[in-house]
């Protein structure tokens, strides 16, 4: 089985994430959406809620599993899960410059490769931070997030 990991905090999950994970699911036998928590970040949704929203959002995507990443290095998590690849969506050259050193370190640590998928042009402007900001200021984010996330933001 060829398993890939799509890691992230997903706070909140947006359509750019969904699109990359769905494409990854067409390439690998299984894609694990690994929801991480950084103790230095301030979250809109706690870890349990982010997990639940991701599970709801990917319920109809075959081959996608959602689980908490837990503490520790992503490379070690990937090795424990038997993943052959990490999948990262790229919106721009800045994303690439940020991700390449981590990809190289992960490969050096555990031999897990990183696969970069260019983001869909419809979502290149999206980030979780921007979605939270627009929503917080009363903007309509309905075109940018899956239905379960939109309901949670409104709820």
């Amino acid at each position: 089985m060829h398993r890939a990991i799509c890691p992230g905090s997903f706070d909140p999950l947006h359509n750019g994430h969904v699109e990359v994970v769905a494409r990854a699911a067409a390439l690998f036998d299984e894609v694990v959406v690994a929801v991480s928590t950084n103790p230095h970040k301030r979250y809109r949704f706690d870890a349990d809620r982010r997990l639940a929203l991701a599970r709801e959002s990917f319920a109809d995507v075959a081959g996608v599993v959602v689980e908490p990443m837990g503490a520790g290095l992503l490379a070690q998590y990937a090795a424990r899960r038997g993943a052959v690849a990490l999948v990262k969506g790229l919106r721009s050259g800045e994303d690439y410059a940020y991700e390449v050193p981590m990809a190289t370190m992960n490969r050096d640590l555990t031999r897990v490769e990183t696969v970069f998928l260019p983001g869909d042009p419809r979502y290149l402007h999206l980030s979780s931070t921007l979605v939270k900001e627009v929503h917080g200021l009363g903007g309509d984010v309905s075109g940018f997030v899956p239905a379960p996330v939109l309901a949670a933001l409104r709820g």
Side-chain angles (χ1 to χ4, degrees):
M1 172 188 279
H2 290 99
R3 176 178 292 130
I5 309 286
C6 284
S9 57
F10 305 110
D11 185 48
L13 180 74
H14 58 67
N15 289 342
H17 295 132
V18 172
E19 191 269 333
V20 166
V21 170
R23 285 173 44 217
L27 299 173
F28 297 94
D29 299 317
E30 181 180 83
V31 175
V32 178
V33 174
V35 179
S36 64
T37 299
N38 179 338
H40 303 292
K41 276 180 129 176
R42 185 170 168 235
Y43 290 100
R44 168 71 169 82
F45 297 113
D46 68 22
D48 289 338
R49 189 71 173 127
R50 288 182 283 126
L51 284 162
L53 290 171
R55 286 181 179 125
E56 284 182 70
S57 298
F58 291 113
D60 296 330
V61 183
V64 175
V65 175
V66 177
E67 63 186 41
M69 190 180 100
L73 294 172
L74 174 58
Q76 293 169 334
Y77 171 78
R80 283 193 309 272
R81 292 295 283 119
V84 298
L86 303 172
V87 174
K88 300 289 191 103
L90 298 179
R91 297 168 294 184
S92 66
E94 288 83 17
D95 282 355
Y96 180 78
Y98 177 80
E99 294 290 348
V100 166
M102 289 188 290
T104 304
M105 180 61 77
N106 288 331
R107 186 178 60 236
D108 286 348
L109 289 171
T110 62
R111 294 295 182 233
V112 66
E113 292 291 346
T114 299
V115 174
F116 296 121
L117 295 179
D120 185 302
R122 295 173 296 167
Y123 305 123
L124 293 180
H125 64 291
L126 290 183
S127 70
S128 294
T129 300
L130 189 56
V131 167
K132 285 187 285 194
E133 184 176 334
V134 169
H135 174 74
L137 294 171
D140 179 13
V141 296
S142 60
F144 307 134
V145 297
V149 174
L150 184 62
L153 286 168
R154 289 180 173 164

